[in-house]
Amino acid sequence: MEDHVEDDLQKALRMSMQYEPPEPKRSKDSPMEESPEVKNRRLQRELMAAAAEKRMAASASAAVAKSGGSSSGSVAKSVCLGGSEVKSEKVDECEPMVKEEKSSGEELALEQAHQLFSMVFGNEVSKGILAQWSNQGIRFSPDEETSMGLVQHEGGPCGVLAAIQAFVLKYLLFFPQELVKDGSKTPIISVSKRLQETQDSATNIFGSLTEETKSRALVRSMGEILFLCGNNNSATIASLKVLDHEIEGKDQSTKDEIVARSLDGLSIESGGDLQKALKVTTFTSLSSAMQRLEEIIPIFRSRMGALLFLLSALLSRGLETVQADRDDPTQPLVTAPFGHASQEIVNLLLSGMAVANVFDGKMDLGGGMFVKGILTPVEVGFLTLLESLNFCKVGQSLKSPKWPIWVIGSESHYTVLFALDPRVQEENEFESRETTIRRAFDAQDQSGGGGFISVEGFHQVLKDANVNLPADKVNNLCSSGFIVWSEFWQVLLDLDKSLGGLKDSTGLMGKKVFDLYHFNGIAKSVLGGSGGETPVQRPRLTKLRVSVPPRWTPEEFMANVSLPGSSSGSGGGDGSGTKDAMAEVSKPEPAQHAPLVDCIRTRWARAVCNWEGDPPSIV
């Protein structure tokens, strides 16, 4: 049998090396096509040679196994590490060693590349929008005050940057231990606690963060988002065809220079361009994905970074699944005419699903048609100016995320709002009761967040929220055939707590005072320098003092009605503590207004905000 195999191998090798007349040289200017005969002969030689080499390798392996020893020939083996297959070879000493590319990834199929490009940009995208998305890296601000923030130079990709920024803040503020590379067990004080427990300014504390700490926060954030998009099972990372060994072992500035040179002249204007430029790698282990992100972070810092991350998120979710998430999959994810990130992009990065709506759950439109909102709790949330204008209703999932960090949406831009203390989201007795009733009401609201429900739905709300409303009030609310939230709310404020209402005789419940910070990553021209005449580009960080009045109706608060017992106090000798508290609430600082305040009031109704300097900008 072995003699027969050897004869076959030798015959195949002889056939693969048969003499053929040399083919004519082809100049680069005048390429010549192969004739069918020549092409067939060449393909036959290559196939025969490959078959011969494969069978010889198999014979060699069998011989080694039979002898039970090792061989000086090359023996390949494959190891699965974190979901990615890594190959290693034992190479003969007399053969030159070829450095193997790590996690080289795969090319996109041309059809998939066209589908991806069309999904993001559509079929009639302008060169201006393509330029916006091809010239925005994921980089931290060089300005000391905003050094924890990602800086934006181009309009359009702010939705991607703001979502990543929100997760970066989550790690910087609340998970400092995970940003220590050596795995030190020494407790580290978080940025959040440092800002709360010391008199140091946010500028000094954020400015003291090392580049390594911020980079690790960025890598962890990107990895978490991509695995969230992959249903926590896998993540796909889209990178550029830049050889890893070219940036391996170099310092950060050198890596950035190498990547920048490799992008010289690269433009993405079609699916074909994507197919030529990209390579993708899928990981089923979060640690392996983060290791890969850390290796190629210079590529995400490059001008293609924001686009690459968006493509990674879409591929992690799966293109068919993304289209199934959407209400109208025929429209591009990047909106015309200004190239802004759609709500579907932001929701994908925050919740893992590319849904177009911000309400909770699904809405039944009748006839078996549903539109999808946010189906699961989220780590960081979302608020929008559009809610204050009654264009939509943000659900509790996005309004009350696990951590007090929110992406803020306006008509044309995305920014980030955050608190240092998670307790700003804790509810007192009245707020908790309001949330329960509001959720029951929203569950019956089929108006797309319009704030009204049917009579049948209203009776279900009373049952679910355990509200025992007198018959005359029920009949009065139902007289028009539908129930409006604002009218129902006024009835609840006058209904005793024993009946499931919110009537509060003291007026003290609900008082809150806390700080919020707003970050706008877009670099805007501001005057700088000692003389103030040199314009510089920098993002902005604004601290806001937020007071939520204790009254439960705006009319009472604006009228500044004295609280019961204000002259005598209660329970504490002369009652001075009560008087001080009442004075603090009844005489708030003069309110300042900006569109951001309207967003904040969708989360904390009737909030009064104050800040120093220029008003915070959400555009």
Side-chain angles (χ1 to χ4, degrees):
M1 180 67 180
E2 290 179 1
D3 292 339
H4 179 66
V5 171
E6 181 63 20
D7 289 342
D8 285 348
L9 292 173
Q10 295 298 332
K11 182 179 179 181
L13 282 173
R14 284 196 300 272
M15 292 181 68
S16 69
M17 294 184 289
Q18 283 180 350
Y19 172 81
E20 293 289 346
E23 299 177 14
K25 291 185 180 179
R26 305 167 185 173
S27 70
K28 293 182 180 178
D29 297 327
S30 304
M32 293 181 61
E33 294 291 335
E34 290 180 320
S35 67
E37 294 79 10
V38 172
K39 186 174 182 180
N40 287 337
R41 287 197 300 268
R42 178 175 60 77
L43 290 174
Q44 186 179 23
R45 289 199 308 270
E46 292 172 355
L47 290 172
M48 296 289 287
E53 291 172 359
K54 184 175 181 180
R55 295 177 69 178
M56 290 180 69
S59 297
S61 298
V64 171
K66 184 181 290 186
S67 63
S70 61
S71 169
S72 60
S74 62
V75 180
K77 63 180 179 180
S78 131
V79 181
C80 185
L81 177 60
S84 61
E85 193 174 9
V86 181
K87 293 183 179 179
S88 61
E89 288 190 350
K90 182 177 179 180
V91 183
D92 190 11
E93 294 179 0
C94 65
E95 295 178 357
M97 290 188 66
V98 180
K99 187 168 185 178
E100 190 175 18
E101 188 176 344
K102 297 189 302 180
S103 302
S104 57
E106 300 178 351
E107 285 188 350
L108 284 174
L110 186 57
E111 181 181 356
Q112 188 181 29
H114 282 300
Q115 182 185 3
L116 182 58
F117 183 88
S118 177
M119 181 186 297
V120 176
F121 295 113
N123 299 320
E124 297 181 356
V125 61
S126 69
K127 289 189 176 182
I129 291 178
L130 291 174
Q132 288 173 199
W133 282 85
S134 298
N135 289 282
Q136 179 61 65
I138 305 174
R139 305 180 70 96
F140 285 101
S141 167
D143 184 57
E144 182 179 17
E145 180 180 355
T146 58
S147 62
M148 84 305 166
L150 301 175
V151 63
Q152 180 185 352
H153 297 289
E154 297 289 338
C158 53
V160 173
L161 295 180
I164 299 173
Q165 179 71 71
F167 279 87
V168 166
L169 286 167
K170 167 190 162 181
Y171 283 99
L172 291 178
L173 293 175
F174 305 113
F175 293 92
Q177 207 71 42
E178 295 191 24
L179 306 180
V180 182
K181 191 169 186 178
D182 59 7
S184 171
K185 299 300 182 183
T186 305
I188 297 173
I189 300 176
S190 68
V191 170
S192 173
K193 285 190 176 180
R194 288 169 63 190
L195 284 167
Q196 291 180 68
E197 296 175 359
T198 70
Q199 299 300 315
D200 211 348
S201 68
T203 301
N204 292 338
I205 291 180
F206 283 134
S208 68
L209 294 171
T210 65
E211 292 301 318
E212 181 181 4
T213 297
K214 292 186 293 185
S215 181
R216 287 179 66 80
L218 178 58
V219 166
R220 284 192 167 272
S221 300
M222 293 168 69
E224 180 175 354
I225 293 172
L226 293 182
F227 257 81
L228 180 64
C229 295
N231 203 29
N232 291 319
N233 293 320
S234 64
T236 298
I237 299 174
S239 181
L240 297 170
K241 293 178 181 176
V242 179
L243 293 178
D244 293 337
H245 66 257
E246 288 191 12
I247 61 176
E248 196 175 69
K250 306 289 195 305
D251 58 50
Q252 295 300 328
S253 60
T254 303
K255 290 179 179 179
D256 291 340
E257 290 175 6
I258 293 172
V259 174
R261 283 199 304 269
S262 72
L263 295 180
D264 188 29
L266 174 66
S267 63
I268 303 296
E269 299 182 359
S270 67
D273 291 338
L274 277 183
Q275 197 266 344
K276 293 174 185 176
L278 296 188
K279 61 179 180 180
V280 296
T281 311
T282 299
F283 298 88
T284 56
S285 160
L286 178 58
S287 60
S288 296
M290 288 195 297
Q291 181 180 353
R292 178 62 176 161
L293 288 168
E294 189 171 3
E295 291 170 353
I296 63 171
I297 202 67
I299 296 176
F300 285 99
R301 282 201 302 262
S302 77
R303 65 176 177 87
M304 295 289 292
L307 177 58
L308 285 173
F309 188 76
L310 172 59
L311 300 180
S312 299
L314 294 171
L315 291 168
S316 295
R317 179 67 176 158
L319 302 190
E320 298 302 328
T321 307
V322 168
Q323 294 295 68
D325 288 340
R326 307 174 65 196
D327 291 341
D328 185 359
T330 64
Q331 297 298 314
L333 290 168
V334 170
T335 62
F338 302 112
H340 298 138
S342 64
Q343 188 66 48
E344 292 145 310
I345 289 177
V346 175
N347 285 348
L348 172 65
L349 302 182
L350 296 183
S351 73
M353 295 182 64
V355 295
N357 306 294
V358 291
F359 53 74
D360 291 336
K362 296 181 180 180
M363 184 178 297
D364 187 354
L365 301 180
M369 293 183 62
F370 292 85
V371 288
K372 295 183 286 292
I374 306 300
L375 302 180
T376 58
V378 296
E379 293 288 302
V380 297
F382 178 78
L383 304 174
T384 176
L385 181 66
L386 298 180
E387 180 173 5
S388 70
L389 301 173
N390 294 319
F391 285 118
C392 67
K393 176 68 179 177
V394 179
Q396 289 301 313
S397 294
L398 290 174
K399 275 187 180 174
S400 303
K402 187 173 182 180
W403 302 100
I405 305 167
W406 297 265
V407 171
I408 300 293
S410 70
E411 302 98 323
S412 60
H413 190 43
Y414 294 98
T415 54
V416 180
L417 182 75
F418 62 98
L420 306 176
D421 189 347
R423 289 176 296 180
V424 302
Q425 295 212 97
E426 291 180 2
E427 295 182 325
N428 56 40
E429 177 189 356
F430 275 40
E431 289 172 321
S432 178
R433 181 66 181 146
E434 177 187 358
T435 297
T436 299
I437 299 172
R438 183 75 213 211
R439 281 180 174 165
F441 188 93
D442 288 346
Q444 302 299 322
D445 186 352
Q446 302 299 318
S447 65
F452 58 89
I453 60 177
S454 66
V455 171
E456 182 183 359
F458 180 58
H459 286 288
Q460 187 64 44
V461 170
L462 297 179
K463 179 179 179 181
D464 293 343
N466 196 25
V467 176
N468 187 13
L469 208 59
D472 60 328
K473 294 186 181 295
V474 172
N475 293 334
N476 186 46
L477 285 171
C478 296
S479 60
S480 63
F482 58 87
I483 293 82
V484 180
W485 167 258
S486 58
E487 296 176 357
F488 181 39
W489 175 245
Q490 290 299 322
V491 171
L492 290 171
L493 291 174
D494 292 330
L495 185 67
D496 192 84
K497 287 194 290 185
S498 63
L499 299 175
L502 294 163
K503 189 172 183 178
D504 176 26
S505 59
T506 68
L508 291 175
M509 297 296 291
K511 173 181 177 292
K512 282 187 175 182
V513 179
F514 53 89
D515 292 333
L516 293 175
Y517 289 82
H518 178 254
F519 175 73
N520 187 345
I522 198 163
K524 295 188 174 183
S525 268
V526 295
L527 293 180
S530 56
E533 56 284 314
T534 307
V536 294
Q537 297 280 331
R538 64 172 56 152
R540 287 189 55 197
L541 180 66
T542 305
K543 180 180 179 180
L544 300 96
R545 186 71 167 172
V546 181
S547 300
V548 181
R551 310 294 188 179
W552 285 95
T553 66
E555 293 77 14
E556 286 181 354
F557 176 67
M558 297 305 295
N560 195 22
V561 177
S562 297
L563 298 177
S566 60
S567 58
S568 60
S570 62
D574 61 2
S576 59
T578 303
K579 290 180 182 178
D580 291 342
M582 307 249 295
E584 181 182 350
V585 222
S586 61
K587 296 181 180 179
E589 297 180 39
Q592 294 173 279
H593 187 265
L596 176 62
V597 178
D598 293 329
C599 294
I600 292 172
R601 285 175 177 167
T602 65
R603 175 63 181 82
W604 293 278
R606 304 175 300 282
V608 176
C609 299
N610 300 92
W611 56 84
E612 295 182 3
D614 294 334
S617 172
I618 60 174
V619 297

